[in-house]
Amino acid sequence: MSMFSIFNVSGSAISSQSQRLNVVASNLANADAVAGPDGQGYKGRQVVFETVPMGSDASSGVKVSAIRESNEPMKRVHNPSHPSADADGYVLQSNVNPVEEMVNMISASRSYQNNVEVMNTAKTLMLKTLQMGQ
Amino acid sequence: MFANLTQALDFQGKALVLRSERQRVIASNIANADTPGYAGRDINFKEAMNAAEESAALAPTPARGATSEGTTHPNHIPLQSTMDKAGGPKLNYTIQTQPAMDGNSVDLDRERANFVDNSVRYEATLRFINGSSKTLLSAIQGQ
């Protein structure tokens, strides 16, 4: 039954999008984190999506192939009273841009909703197909 | 005689299979709306339906000595088939409406519209099948 693979395809998309939401959540949570004693602050992360063939040519799902760390420079904030400030009074903060992350979050949740809707429609159609001829 | 009875059902059955196939393709497009480099696919329903009809018309009476491509001589050039090797409908690529930096050609709004359109047509086909089977049943029972 070919329509069953819709659940695999949309399911893979939903799990990838929820992984993306997770990454966004951890980026946002660490947006204001300062570098620890080792001088390594939190680096923003981004998921990388990749197409995976599922069964036939017609259906292709999604998977998260990698989670990459952003290479943008850390934010340097002048705050001499901060306990982890360096000799010049600067504190290194994470390189996460909260506005970008919010946009990313909205995009991920919209895609998630779309895929849930696809699954619901497929389910309704299949249930109606089961009742064929009655 | 019985072949005539089920002819309408056969036609609608083929349409239903193609509709479910297209539903699957559009679901893949929506799933890959954020994947870089993904090229959207679609089925031309009219072409696929014609191909399904033709293959059904050819299948019961293959010409003597004909190969699977419909040629009768090894040097014949086979006709371009609208069905792919696996027997499924031919998949085309969708036209990109808004070029994206990541090379993704899926237009989510269009795909959603296609998805809804296809599911309504799928349901319509189902109702046609239910209608003809009810007609047949009532004709058989004679009530």
Side-chain angles (χ1 to χ4, degrees):
Chain A
M1 177 84 187
S2 62
M3 256 173 111
F4 274 113
S5 71
I6 290 184
F7 295 112
N8 292 336
V9 169
S10 294
S12 76
I14 282 177
S15 86
S16 305
Q17 296 292 350
S18 83
Q19 212 168 328
R20 180 174 167 201
L21 271 177
N22 262 327
V23 170
V24 168
S26 94
N27 283 350
L28 276 177
N30 288 290
D32 289 328
V34 294
D38 56 345
Q40 292 291 309
Y42 179 86
K43 282 183 178 163
R45 279 157 209 185
Q46 301 293 339
V47 292
V48 181
F49 287 152
E50 196 184 274
T51 306
V52 242
M54 288 196 162
S56 74
D57 191 27
S59 49
S60 36
V62 197
K63 74 167 187 198
V64 174
S65 62
I67 295 177
R68 297 234 174 92
E69 284 191 341
S70 153
N71 286 327
E72 279 188 47
M74 296 286 185
K75 269 182 286 185
R76 284 187 87 213
V77 181
H78 186 67
N79 188 359
S81 61
H82 198 279
S84 31
D86 61 8
D88 301 326
Y90 281 97
V91 184
L92 273 186
Q93 279 189 353
S94 76
N95 59 359
V96 175
N97 183 346
V99 179
E100 260 175 34
E101 295 304 324
M102 292 302 280
V103 173
N104 209 350
M105 180 189 79
I106 293 169
S107 169
S109 76
R110 286 286 303 273
S111 298
Y112 191 100
Q113 284 170 18
N114 276 331
N115 282 294
V116 170
E117 210 172 298
V118 167
M119 269 171 125
N120 274 333
T121 312
K123 181 191 146 204
T124 319
L125 286 182
M126 284 175 75
L127 285 178
K128 284 195 174 142
T129 315
L130 272 182
Q131 291 171 353
M132 193 200 283
Q134 281 179 6
Chain B
M1 182 244 171
F2 215 73
N4 291 339
L5 268 180
T6 54
Q7 213 165 27
L9 278 178
D10 276 352
F11 179 78
Q12 300 291 358
K14 271 183 216 117
L16 199 68
V17 169
L18 281 179
R19 284 281 167 215
S20 77
E21 202 63 17
R22 180 155 188 247
Q23 195 81 350
R24 201 158 61 121
V25 174
I26 300 173
S28 304
N29 286 350
I30 293 178
N32 283 288
D34 292 327
T35 314
Y38 178 83
R41 314 297 299 268
D42 205 350
I43 292 172
N44 185 336
F45 188 80
K46 190 177 170 220
E47 262 179 27
M49 198 64 212
N50 279 341
E53 282 286 279
E54 271 169 31
S55 68
L58 289 176
T61 50
R64 204 146 46 92
T67 63
S68 58
E69 277 97 13
T71 55
T72 49
H73 191 273
N75 290 346
H76 284 172
I77 298 168
L79 285 173
Q80 198 73 50
S81 173
T82 45
M83 309 285 273
D84 65 9
K85 284 278 183 289
K90 192 182 156 211
L91 281 174
N92 297 319
Y93 289 96
T94 57
I95 297 163
Q96 195 168 26
T97 48
Q98 301 178 49
M101 287 280 281
D102 61 356
N104 189 306
S105 74
V106 177
D107 180 347
L108 199 55
D109 299 320
R110 189 183 58 195
E111 295 304 332
R112 284 192 57 160
N114 281 345
F115 191 79
V116 173
D117 173 88
N118 198 59
S119 47
V120 169
R121 284 167 200 273
Y122 184 91
E123 249 188 270
T125 310
L126 264 184
R127 289 208 186 171
F128 286 141
I129 291 178
N130 280 339
S132 1
S133 81
K134 282 216 176 74
T135 313
L136 280 180
L137 280 178
S138 69
I140 290 168
Q141 287 164 355
Q143 284 166 357

